[in-house]
Amino acid sequence: MASRAPGYSTATGRLMLGVRKWYYNLCGFNKLGLMRDDTIYEDSDVKEALRRLPENVYNDRTFRMKRAFDLSMKQQILPKDQWTKYEEDVNYLTPYLEEVIRERKEREEWMKK
């Protein structure tokens, strides 16, 4: 059986998951069909990470972004059954972004020598 930190219970874990889901829905991007990674500010690192995405993942992101922009211009949201669900939101960009940042930091360290 897995050990737990003192004072931690299954009820506490369920409560924290409930709070995370509540906050996720409160942010509102899911009501436009966006995923969490779609909302990351596009600096040079993010642009490079986007360039490295597989084509189908990049195309899915482009579709979500265009649809969200269109809905936003119309001041509308998707029907609730089309909202991005907390459980379905995946960090599709984060691994690529972490790799790009690690590589950039390595280059910066190399250039200091």
Side-chain angles (χ1 to χ4, degrees), residues 99-111:
E99 180 181 346
V100 167
I101 292 169
R102 182 185 51 74
E103 290 172 1
R104 177 179 47 79
K105 287 181 177 178
E106 277 181 19
R107 273 193 311 278
E108 289 170 355
E109 283 300 313
W110 181 257
M111 298 302 275

Side-chain angles (χ1 to χ4, degrees), residues 17 21 24-25 35-36 84-90:
L17 178 61
K21 286 182 178 182
Y24 181 84
N25 285 314
M35 294 184 166
R36 190 178 303 115
T84 305
K85 293 163 191 61
Y86 177 83
E87 298 81 9
E88 297 170 354
D89 194 330
V90 293

